[in-house]
Amino acid sequence: MNWVAIAADATDQALAIMGEEFVYQGQTWRGVINQTDTHEILEAGGFATYCTSSIAIQKRGFPVPVKGDKLTIAGTPLRIVRTAEHPVSWTLYLEDVSR
C-alpha cells in the first residue's frame, strides 16, 4: 500500500469521527468545517454578520468542486469562492450567500 492510500484511509477514519455533514450537488457529504472569518457588514437597518468558512473533504468519491457552485451547511447556503487541491483531499473556501 502506498502513502497516498494510507493517508486516504486515515482521512476516511477521521471524517467518520469528527466530520460534519453538508450537501453538495444534491448529495450529503462529510467534511471538517471551519469558520475562518466573521465580520459585520453595514446593511439597511443595521449591521449583518458575514461569515466565511472552509471545508476539508476527502477527495476519494467527491466530484471536482467548481468555483461558484453552492452547497448547504445546516440549512445555510454557501458559495465556493476558491479551492485548494491536496493529494488526498480538497479544501473548499466558502462565502455565506444567505443574505
Side-chain angles (χ1 to χ4, degrees):
M1 185 179 273
N2 65 24
W3 73 269
V4 173
I6 292 168
D9 290 343
T11 302
D12 279 340
Q13 292 173 10
L15 289 176
I17 294 168
M18 64 183 183
E20 298 178 63
E21 292 186 345
F22 67 96
V23 178
Y24 179 62
Q25 295 182 348
Q27 187 171 352
T28 301
W29 302 90
R30 292 184 71 80
V32 177
I33 300 170
N34 297 302
Q35 183 175 329
T36 55
D37 183 33
T38 302
H39 55 276
E40 301 291 319
I41 296 176
L42 183 59
E43 293 187 351
F47 286 96
T49 302
Y50 178 79
C51 298
T52 305
S53 304
S54 66
I55 299 175
I57 180 70
Q58 172 73 289
K59 213 180 214 180
R60 190 185 327 182
F62 193 78
V64 176
V66 177
K67 183 178 174 182
D69 276 2
K70 292 183 182 176
L71 56 85
T72 305
I73 300 173
T76 302
L78 298 131
R79 179 180 21 252
I80 299 171
V81 293
R82 186 168 53 103
T83 63
E85 184 175 2
H86 311 288
V88 298
S89 65
W90 292 102
T91 301
L92 310 178
Y93 298 93
L94 311 165
E95 70 176 349
D96 186 346
V97 294
S98 62
R99 307 179 273 115

